[in-house]
Amino acid sequence: MTGAPPMNLARALGKHRPRVEGDRELEILEATLATLGEVGYDRLTMDAVATRAKASKATLYRRWSSKANLVVDALAHSKGPHEFPDTGSLRGDLEAGFCGMGGLTDPDAVAVFSSVLTAIQRDPEFAEQFRARFVAEKLALSRAPWERAKARGELRDDIDLDLIEPALAGIVLHRVFVMGQLPDEDLITRVLDQIILPAAGVDPTRD
């Protein structure tokens, strides 16, 4: 199933119908995230989102051409910071960014991410859009504190940011998806102080 609208529905929409935008768009995106968290990507349908958002399926297809397009838009508008906090130290930045709303200790954010894992392997359209429009933005966001730390001279000279930057998320998500352990602020702090900061050449006691 591609999630594309039936041909008769696509014709009925017409190219001059008004766009779905503003508060109505946000309501639909929030309904998408709620449905995604409950049933996962594979079982999510445009019908289910339309019902939850109290909208017609035609309204959804007027704005989003497929389920993949809708879900990636919803993920891109999901809660969380749009820039990493600048606390003056790498340790402070990472603690603030990963322990806040939309971070690794936010159960809703982790649940939504979990719901799309299988889709990345099974749905090429979704995987392409997810990586280009969601992952790329998140990587740029999480790279910022490392670039600031490098500019401040906190990091060792030979640090490979491409390797070290995703390490914190990788360690924490391994515990979530492989070991079934929900992360908390204490875990984030221990991973930072015992693994990430020493590997980057940063003194964990300096904040």
Side-chain angles (χ1 to χ4, degrees), residues 98-169:
F98 284 105
C99 293
M101 184 175 66
L104 293 174
T105 60
D106 184 338
D108 291 338
V110 173
V112 167
F113 181 70
S114 175
S115 70
V116 302
L117 285 180
T118 57
I120 296 171
Q121 301 299 320
R122 298 179 182 177
D123 187 329
E125 179 192 2
F126 174 79
E128 180 180 3
Q129 292 196 41
F130 179 75
R131 292 181 178 123
R133 296 171 47 210
F134 181 74
V135 174
E137 180 181 342
K138 292 297 183 183
L139 287 176
L141 181 70
S142 60
R143 179 93 171 201
W146 289 93
E147 296 287 0
R148 291 196 297 261
K150 186 175 182 180
R152 288 192 298 260
E154 282 190 76
L155 309 180
R156 71 170 200 254
D157 293 337
D158 63 344
I159 192 72
D160 186 338
L161 293 185
D162 290 334
L163 289 178
I164 193 69
E165 183 275 320
L168 174 58

Side-chain angles (χ1 to χ4, degrees), residues 161-178:
L161 293 185
D162 290 334
L163 289 178
I164 193 69
E165 183 275 320
L168 174 58
I171 292 170
V172 173
L173 292 176
H174 174 271
R175 295 177 74 91
V176 173
F177 297 121
V178 176

Side-chain angles (χ1 to χ4, degrees), residues 9 28 41 82 92 143 161:
L9 177 57
I28 293 171
Y41 181 86
H82 295 290
R143 179 93 171 201
L161 293 185

Side-chain angles (χ1 to χ4, degrees), residues 7-182:
M7 288 301 295
N8 59 338
L9 177 57
R11 294 192 194 100
L13 296 179
K15 61 182 179 180
H16 299 300
R17 299 289 293 275
R19 287 175 55 82
V20 178
E21 54 190 9
D23 291 343
R24 192 66 184 117
E25 179 181 22
L26 290 176
E27 289 171 359
I28 293 171
L29 294 176
E30 289 172 359
T32 303
L33 287 175
T35 306
L36 183 66
E38 288 181 2
V39 304
Y41 181 86
D42 294 340
R43 294 173 58 195
L44 183 145
T45 64
M46 299 292 263
D47 280 328
V49 173
T51 298
R52 190 174 199 124
K54 296 181 173 60
S56 68
K57 190 161 65 171
T59 297
L60 268 63
Y61 279 122
R62 188 180 305 140
R63 172 66 178 81
W64 297 278
S65 61
S66 66
K67 179 174 81 169
N69 188 257
L70 171 62
V71 170
V72 173
D73 258 12
L75 291 170
H77 285 79
S78 60
K79 65 182 180 178
H82 295 290
E83 61 181 21
F84 243 86
D86 186 353
T87 67
S89 74
L90 179 62
R91 186 179 190 276
D93 289 358
L94 295 178
E95 279 188 317
F98 284 105
C99 293
M101 184 175 66
L104 293 174
T105 60
D106 184 338
D108 291 338
V110 173
V112 167
F113 181 70
S114 175
S115 70
V116 302
L117 285 180
T118 57
I120 296 171
Q121 301 299 320
R122 298 179 182 177
D123 187 329
E125 179 192 2
F126 174 79
E128 180 180 3
Q129 292 196 41
F130 179 75
R131 292 181 178 123
R133 296 171 47 210
F134 181 74
V135 174
E137 180 181 342
K138 292 297 183 183
L139 287 176
L141 181 70
S142 60
R143 179 93 171 201
W146 289 93
E147 296 287 0
R148 291 196 297 261
K150 186 175 182 180
R152 288 192 298 260
E154 282 190 76
L155 309 180
R156 71 170 200 254
D157 293 337
D158 63 344
I159 192 72
D160 186 338
L161 293 185
D162 290 334
L163 289 178
I164 193 69
E165 183 275 320
L168 174 58
I171 292 170
V172 173
L173 292 176
H174 174 271
R175 295 177 74 91
V176 173
F177 297 121
V178 176
M179 302 175 68
Q181 300 176 2
L182 294 179

